[in-house]
Amino acid sequence: MTSIWTLFSCKIKQTTDNSKLQSQKDTANRKVTQPIHGEKTEFDSSDFHDLKHNKNYDRFLAGQLNLPTGQVVCTDPMYRELGLPQSWTIDKGQYSVYLYIGLKDDFAGRIVYAELVVKDEIPAYWEMSLIPEHLLVDSFERKMNGMYPVENGLSCFADFETYKIYDQEIKSFYQNKKDGNFYADVLANLFKVNKETPKSSRGEDWINYKPAKANGNIIMFGSGYGDGIYPRYVGYDINGNVVKFITDFK
């Protein structure tokens, strides 16, 4: 893990505080301070708080994500070490995944956000979406919880069960084709199908992929300008129920 984690600096501010840490939310200014493994992490949700009505982006429906277990994975689909579920779960079912493509400035044509819609409503508050700490291998990964590395210019949403089947599919591919390349041999042509969809996109930037032995699917998408370390956020209603889940490439 060290190579990708150390190559990129974290854009989320972190400070150490030995006192008891509690989440603090400035709902007026959309600023959040959240404790993660003994450190305070700060972020601003202003830009993605109401993505549906944000005129800086084109909203594109990439498909329905089938979640057989309700456990959601968000990671680089080719760099698979952090293909782990979030600390929250939702009801089993199918949920819309939207891609938000930049219309202005440097992000024009590129995916800025991907969003899983659980309920079509604006969240009452946001937090960084964490992986259960016991699934992470060391203290560094726990301190970086809420973020994940991308080193292939791709991210994805998937059900945890589906992702495990996908991971085995890749392992089987290389067992049978040691000199092969899963992306080039399997995925690349699928991305090419979406060369002009949507029109606002730079093209070949997303697919709705179904592993051969899985009931679920994986929606893959380009990560903005490519490799980096990117955050995941979860939006809750006033009762603490998950309504939105996003990853941010801005």
Side-chain angles (χ1 to χ4, degrees):
M1 294 293 297
T2 54
S3 62
I4 185 70
W5 283 120
T6 54
L7 280 174
F8 301 97
S9 61
C10 179
K11 70 177 179 179
I12 305 296
K13 296 180 180 178
Q14 291 187 324
T15 58
T16 302
D17 187 343
N18 292 325
S19 63
K20 186 177 180 180
L21 298 178
Q22 295 180 338
S23 293
Q24 299 175 354
K25 303 171 183 67
D26 181 351
T27 54
N29 296 311
R30 305 299 175 198
K31 294 181 179 179
V32 178
T33 301
Q34 181 178 352
I36 298 177
H37 198 65
E39 296 185 350
K40 289 182 179 179
T41 299
E42 300 175 355
F43 68 89
D44 188 329
S45 66
S46 300
D47 194 54
F48 57 80
H49 180 66
D50 183 12
L51 278 172
K52 184 177 180 179
H53 298 104
N54 192 323
K55 300 302 182 184
N56 292 317
Y57 311 111
D58 180 37
R59 187 182 196 229
F60 172 70
L61 178 63
Q64 299 294 312
L65 185 67
N66 186 9
L67 298 177
T69 70
Q71 296 178 287
V72 180
V73 171
C74 173
T75 192
D76 181 335
M78 304 309 297
Y79 180 80
R80 308 185 313 281
E81 283 79 356
L82 285 178
L84 300 169
Q86 308 307 299
S87 60
W88 45 267
T89 60
I90 55 179
D91 291 339
K92 302 174 185 178
Q94 294 191 345
Y95 298 91
S96 298
V97 171
Y98 289 92
L99 306 179
Y100 290 83
I101 296 144
L103 298 175
K104 299 179 180 180
D105 302 328
D106 293 342
F107 269 91
R110 295 180 181 271
I111 296 170
V112 185
Y113 298 100
E115 175 189 55
L116 176 70
V117 177
V118 181
K119 294 183 180 178
D120 190 14
E121 60 184 69
I122 300 171
Y125 63 96
W126 291 89
E127 292 184 349
M128 294 194 78
S129 185
L130 307 181
I131 290 170
E133 283 200 343
H134 71 274
L135 297 178
L136 301 174
V137 299
D138 56 31
S139 178
F140 183 73
E141 282 193 3
R142 295 180 184 116
K143 287 181 179 180
M144 295 298 291
N145 204 352
M147 307 190 75
Y148 64 101
V150 169
E151 63 174 16
N152 296 280
L154 291 174
S155 183
C156 74
F157 289 159
D159 186 271
F160 184 44
E161 178 183 88
T162 304
Y163 198 84
K164 288 188 289 185
I165 294 171
Y166 166 75
D167 185 51
Q168 185 57 52
E169 180 177 272
I170 294 180
K171 290 177 181 177
S172 297
F173 171 86
Y174 284 111
Q175 287 172 356
N176 296 322
K177 197 173 182 179
K178 290 182 170 49
D179 295 328
N181 181 296
F182 188 82
Y183 179 84
D185 296 344
V186 178
L187 299 179
N189 285 335
L190 300 177
F191 277 95
K192 290 178 181 178
V193 172
N194 294 321
K195 183 178 181 179
E196 298 181 357
T197 306
K199 294 294 184 182
S200 58
S201 170
R202 60 180 176 162
E204 301 182 25
D205 221 11
W206 70 278
I207 60 171
N208 189 342
Y209 181 72
K210 187 179 185 304
K213 296 182 179 180
N215 292 323
N217 58 321
I218 302 175
I219 296 182
M220 303 182 189
F221 37 83
S223 54
Y225 269 94
D227 298 350
I229 295 176
Y230 297 108
R232 302 176 299 255
Y233 300 105
V234 56
Y236 296 94
D237 65 15
I238 58 174
N239 297 314
N241 300 310
V242 174
V243 295
K244 298 284 178 62
F245 174 60
I246 72 164
T247 183
D248 173 5
F249 304 123
K250 196 168 183 181

